[in-house]
């Protein structure tokens, strides 16, 4: 008789159960997946075989010759990229290569957070950021957003609130450049204001710049890290959204001695050397040109998604056009529950992100949804949104249709 | 003025501080590093460029087309390797590719352990296994070893002890094939006994087979997993010790529905695709021949280490010849403190593993040490042990020398 494990499981394991993987639905509008044809497979193949022949034997050591912060040639190249693209001065010694930026987030959380702590963050946010904080017994305190990202009046109100109670929030978590899910870009002036508030209240900033390379215009403000003169910003980024998400390479930037506190928490014996080596070889000659080629493709997909929403949802779908990135944040009429919409859509091979998962106050955002457009083709976007509108009408009578348009 | 982070750090981060990496000492007798010339860099280069050209675009999706358990062609190949080399029947659906076997261990710990739990394990053990349990607030309960690995009388005594107190240990953690650090191999009969005890007491087994490919004779008993008919064994392995440690690819074998409990705990958005792809391409035609070539080299290093210990420490160094692997467990006279020996040796560019770190009852094992011989060359082994004997004599008067041999 098979052994019964259930009685021995931890609290964490008892809470969830996965089913075997069945493949992605045909209309897959969730997650950080990107446009598959743009993955530079041929150039990566050339790069990786060259660097393996030159450096491969060093993989006989954990950390190769670079130690626990990651492959030094890659850290040096990341330093050049951050200087050129984000205005940052971050030497290779302040950079830690991570197994995706999720690991950078986990490390910052581990370095700062005890149960009962408070973190301030944009009220609509990356689902993983919110759920990781809650899993640690930390309170994610939502700060209101507008078209320029996190509102500084709301941030100061929150900081003053906690100061009044004798509590110092551990950090301000922000995605200032292509905010997730609202796709806004915080202007430089507001970045300076955030630094001023950070100084006034003694609360550091954790800047997540994971989508920052994907501003459609190619123009972005300097990173908050770049404007900081007092080492009060910790920064993370990734190559998941520009090169390939399945290549698990992100990075964390933190000043010594804080980096010295974070390193002992990275107990994985190093991030994958091959994925670091291939990027160190590929990026110097290819990165900027690769991104320049991505941007018009993403703009075209974004435009197609907006046009499809306008055509099939009309005024029922309220949104701001994304400044970049791979997702759109949509507000539907109050009676639409996007969790139920997603369940219905899944039965037709369509998946969306329900708004309650992507907001701190989930209950107030059940009529919102995130739609990711990086991975699906233009045709999939157009067909999928048309189908989604039909399903939404069937479930909620939204969008309201005149008789000759009603295909329900 | 730089921001002062210390007051905001978590308890975990406050406990440790790393210094910037300064390179490895010249006589580096610690860690799981392997012989650098044997890393198959050229064959990996050929494999990775082929598979990237054929499959690289799929890296545009987290998990590619295989989902969260890892690249399916690699899982299928691991299943074939486990069948061929370990006698196991583990379908690809029971296999999870992990970012090194450390992640497999972390996942099993997360799946079973709450603070206050008990795990039974060999008294001399992998330092990381012990420290991870303690960091989780779990009691690692030591079980005595002999030349055949974990002693079954001692295991039953521990199981009965906890049953008497109404406590079910969460699992038995064992490294039966090239135990770390004692390098013993548990015979098949004792593996059957462990399964019988597991059934009698309702405690599952977590079998760590990370060094099992490195039995010098090329002959090994079946995995405990292979002898199990009741799904009571969870199993992990790695390619770190055979292909390259910096290539972070390990694997966990667990039956559904337990695998369905473990998967949601792997919150890293997948392990690195490129490192999985290259192994899936490389292993089928190369793995067995590669290992066959490694074994005589490791045997030669092991012999050189034993000869150097005999020559320079004489009867002061007591050890059993390793049955395989890359480390040797040495007992020195009681008055030698290997922590202090290591501190003195580091000043001369030599690093060893002090015995108190590699045992559950560290205080009783301060006169023992682990010496790793996989990475250093034969000359480095010979020179390093000669120097270590000189340092040990200077610090402790051990090994005792007659006047004409005294080089102190």
């Amino acid at each position: 008789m098979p052994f019964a494990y259930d009685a021995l499981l931890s609290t964490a394991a008892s809470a969830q159960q996965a089913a075997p993987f069945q493949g992605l639905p045909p209309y897959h509008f969730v997650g950080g997946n990107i446009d598959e044809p743009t993955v530079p497979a041929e150039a990566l193949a050339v790069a990786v075989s060259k660097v393996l022949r030159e450096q491969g034997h060093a993989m006989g050591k954990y950390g190769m010759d670079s130690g626990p912060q990651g492959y030094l040639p890659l850290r040096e190249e990341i330093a050049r990229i951050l200087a050129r693209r984000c205005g940052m001065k971050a030497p290779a010694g302040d950079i830690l290569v991570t197994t995706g930026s999720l690991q950078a987030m986990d490390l910052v959380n581990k370095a700062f957070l005890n149960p009962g702590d408070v973190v301030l963050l944009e009220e609509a946010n990356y689902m993983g950021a919110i759920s990781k904080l809650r899993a640690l017994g930390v309170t994610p305190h939502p700060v209101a957003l507008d078209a320029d990202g996190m509102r500084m009046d709301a941030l100061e109100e929150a900081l003053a609130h906690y100061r009044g109670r004798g509590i110092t929030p551990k950090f301000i978590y922000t995605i200032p450049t292509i905010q997730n899910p609202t796709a806004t870009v915080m202007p430089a002036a507001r970045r300076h204001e955030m630094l001023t508030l950070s100084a006034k209240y003694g609360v550091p900033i954790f800047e997540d710049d994971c989508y920052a390379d994907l501003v459609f215009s190619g123009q972005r403000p300097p990173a908050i890290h770049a404007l900081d003169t007092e080492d009060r910003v910790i920064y993370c980024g990734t190559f998941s959204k520009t090169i390939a998400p399945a290549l698990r390479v992100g990075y964390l930037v933190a000043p010594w001695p804080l980096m010295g506190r974070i390193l002992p928490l990275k107990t994985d014996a190093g991030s994958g050397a091959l994925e670091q080596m291939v990027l160190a070889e590929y990026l110097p000659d290819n990165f900027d040109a690769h991104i320049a080629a991505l941007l018009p493709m993403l703009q075209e997909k974004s435009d197609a998604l907006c046009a499809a929403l306008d055509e099939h949802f009309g005024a029922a779908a309220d949104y701001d056009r994304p400044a970049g990135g791979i997702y759109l944040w949509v507000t539907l009429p109050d009676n639409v529950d996007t969790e139920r919409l997603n369940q219905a859509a899944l039965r037709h091979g369509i998946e969306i992100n329900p708004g309650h998962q992507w907001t701190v106050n989930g209950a107030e955002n059940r009529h919102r949804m995130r739609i990711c457009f990086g991975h699906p083709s233009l045709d999939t976007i157009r067909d999928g949104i048309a189908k989604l509108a039909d399903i939404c009408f069937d479930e909620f009578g939204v969008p309201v249709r005149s008789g000759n348009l009603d295909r329900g």
Side-chain angles (χ1 to χ4, degrees), chain A residues 100-401:
Chain A
S101 66
L102 279 180
Q103 188 183 44
M105 182 180 286
D106 284 337
L107 288 170
V108 171
N109 286 346
K110 270 197 206 178
F112 284 92
L113 302 176
N114 291 320
D117 281 341
V118 174
V119 167
L120 308 182
L121 74 174
E122 289 123 9
E123 64 174 356
N125 217 308
Y126 168 53
M127 181 180 72
I130 301 167
S131 62
K132 282 173 188 291
L133 293 174
R134 289 191 170 137
L136 294 167
V138 167
T139 300
H141 183 95
V143 181
L145 288 151
D146 64 18
D148 287 336
M150 190 188 285
R151 275 174 39 195
M152 290 303 107
D153 60 331
L155 176 61
E156 178 147 32
E157 188 182 315
L159 288 163
H161 165 78
Y162 284 106
R163 174 170 280 182
R165 297 170 60 194
I167 293 169
T168 305
K170 286 298 185 78
F171 53 81
I172 302 159
Y173 172 72
T174 182
I175 311 171
T177 315
I178 313 301
Q179 203 270 339
N180 187 353
T182 59
T184 58
V185 177
M186 185 184 287
R190 196 175 280 192
R191 294 171 188 238
H192 283 289
E193 282 182 73
M194 192 186 285
L195 283 165
T196 302
L197 290 175
S198 165
K200 179 173 173 185
Y201 289 90
V203 177
I205 297 167
F206 178 21
E207 178 176 25
D208 181 345
D209 235 11
C210 283
Y211 294 90
D213 289 311
L214 301 182
V215 180
F216 295 152
S217 69
Q219 303 294 317
R220 55 157 293 173
I224 302 174
H225 186 287
L227 305 173
D228 168 31
T229 56
E230 297 175 319
D231 284 351
R232 61 176 61 258
V233 181
I234 305 153
Y235 179 95
C236 75
T238 184
F239 297 102
S240 290
K241 307 309 183 292
T242 49
I243 308 297
L247 203 69
R248 305 300 300 129
V249 183
Y251 45 92
L252 180 67
V253 182
W256 282 94
L258 178 60
M259 181 62 80
R261 296 293 190 180
I262 292 172
L263 278 180
L265 306 174
K266 190 170 187 290
T267 56
D268 61 357
S271 292
L274 193 58
E275 313 214 319
Q276 298 183 62
M277 290 162 76
V278 63
L279 287 182
E281 184 68 29
Y282 167 85
L283 294 171
D285 291 338
N286 296 288
F287 190 54
D288 288 355
H290 177 70
I291 288 175
L294 291 181
L295 297 179
M297 176 276 296
L298 287 172
Q299 175 82 68
E300 189 178 8
K301 286 191 176 185
S302 174
D303 290 347
L305 173 59
C306 294
L309 284 167
D310 294 348
E311 179 181 349
H312 298 291
F313 281 86
D318 188 27
Y319 62 87
D320 291 323
R321 297 185 85 84
I326 59 174
Y327 39 74
L328 178 68
W329 184 237
V330 182
T331 301
L332 295 169
D334 286 349
N335 69 308
V336 177
D337 178 339
T338 53
E339 175 65 38
R340 202 178 109 204
L341 175 63
N342 186 48
Q343 294 304 322
L346 278 170
R347 293 192 289 273
H348 295 84
I350 303 173
E351 188 170 10
I352 59 164
N353 287 125
H356 74 94
Q357 293 178 353
W358 293 77
T359 46
V360 181
N361 291 323
E364 297 171 11
N365 292 280
R366 295 189 73 92
H367 59 306
R368 296 193 165 91
M369 63 180 172
R370 190 182 81 141
I371 299 185
C372 295
F373 57 80
H375 185 259
S377 69
L378 292 168
D379 283 345
T380 301
I381 292 170
R382 293 181 191 114
D383 292 353
I385 296 303
K387 288 178 196 291
L388 184 68
D390 286 347
I391 296 161
C392 192
F393 179 81
D394 288 346
E395 293 285 325
F396 303 104
V398 166
V400 175
R401 287 165 171 172

Side-chain angles (χ1 to χ4, degrees), chain A residues 78-110:
Chain A
I78 291 169
R80 287 188 285 271
I81 288 172
L82 293 176
R84 184 173 75 239
R85 300 182 65 89
C86 315
M88 287 169 57
K89 284 184 198 151
D94 285 4
I95 296 172
L96 170 65
V97 181
T98 55
T99 308
S101 66
L102 279 180
Q103 188 183 44
M105 182 180 286
D106 284 337
L107 288 170
V108 171
N109 286 346
K110 270 197 206 178

